Amino acid sequence: MELLLNIKGLFRDQQELRDMVRKRKICYDHEPYYITTKKGELIQIGFQINLYATLPENVEDRTADSAEYGGVERDVTLLAEALSNTCDPIHMCESTTIEPGRITYSPDRKMRPDVTVHIPVFDQNNFGHPVDDSVRNAFHMGIKLIESAGVQKIRWQD
């Protein structure tokens, strides 16, 4: 069974989604999602999936002020929304752009200018409890779903 993102109302079809992923060279990484308890201890309650989309290489102004920035931010946010719509809404939280209008650079992605969107994955109905199998399963399913759309791990490779 092929895993597909729920793109209803976001993309015409799966091919349009895959074309956008390729155009924006979207890749991802992830990290633990922690909170601090009342006693000051760190506890992992979930994960955070980070999506990175870049500005077109043929554009001279590859900054947040460029005309292309808004389109890149919109596209990567639509991908994050499709993931949130597909996975268990109790666990896959609403995505957030790192800071609207901000470009990030990482040696992991050869210092390309990236628009970054974070997707926290934790149990919203029982906030604060340690990671359990339900949260882990939602996280792993999310990774499989974005990879099925062509999103690559850590860096884009043609």
Side-chain angles (χ1 to χ4, degrees):
M1 181 176 98
E2 184 179 15
L3 294 173
L4 298 174
L5 288 166
N6 177 359
I7 59 169
K8 186 176 182 181
L10 302 172
F11 298 94
R12 279 189 314 272
D13 55 29
Q14 293 294 325
Q15 188 59 52
E16 181 184 40
L17 168 63
R18 285 189 289 277
D19 291 346
M20 183 278 297
V21 166
R22 176 171 280 294
K23 176 182 178 184
R24 302 302 187 194
K25 298 182 178 184
I26 299 178
C27 44
Y28 77 94
D29 64 18
H30 57 80
E31 57 195 275
Y33 191 85
Y34 294 100
I35 62 166
T36 305
T37 66
K38 292 178 183 178
K39 295 179 182 180
E41 300 167 331
L42 279 180
I43 183 170
Q44 183 182 354
I45 65 166
F47 302 91
Q48 180 169 279
I49 300 171
N50 305 307
L51 298 175
Y52 305 99
T54 195
L55 293 156
E57 291 178 18
N58 61 347
V59 172
E60 285 187 36
D61 182 15
R62 296 179 77 198
T63 68
D65 294 328
S66 71
E68 290 78 13
Y69 177 89
V72 175
E73 184 177 58
R74 181 197 68 240
D75 286 349
V76 72
T77 301
L78 287 175
L79 172 62
E81 188 176 332
L83 180 59
S84 294
N85 290 345
T86 306
C87 293
D88 184 350
I90 294 171
H91 298 97
M92 198 67 60
C93 306
E94 187 174 324
S95 61
T96 56
T97 305
I98 188 169
E99 284 182 35
R102 181 170 176 214
I103 299 286
T104 59
Y105 299 86
S106 170
D108 288 337
R109 286 172 300 287
K110 300 178 182 177
M111 302 305 284
R112 69 182 204 178
D114 284 326
V115 177
T116 306
V117 172
H118 301 296
I119 306 165
V121 182
F122 59 86
D123 188 341
Q124 296 180 71
N125 285 341
N126 192 9
F127 183 80
H129 74 79
V131 172
D132 61 13
D133 285 343
S134 180
V135 172
R136 267 194 241 16
N137 291 340
F139 166 71
H140 289 296
M141 178 60 71
I143 295 298
K144 288 178 184 176
L145 284 162
I146 60 173
E147 286 179 347
S148 75
V151 177
Q152 297 182 16
K153 187 171 185 177
I154 302 177
R155 74 185 55 82
W156 186 265
Q157 299 176 20
D158 286 319

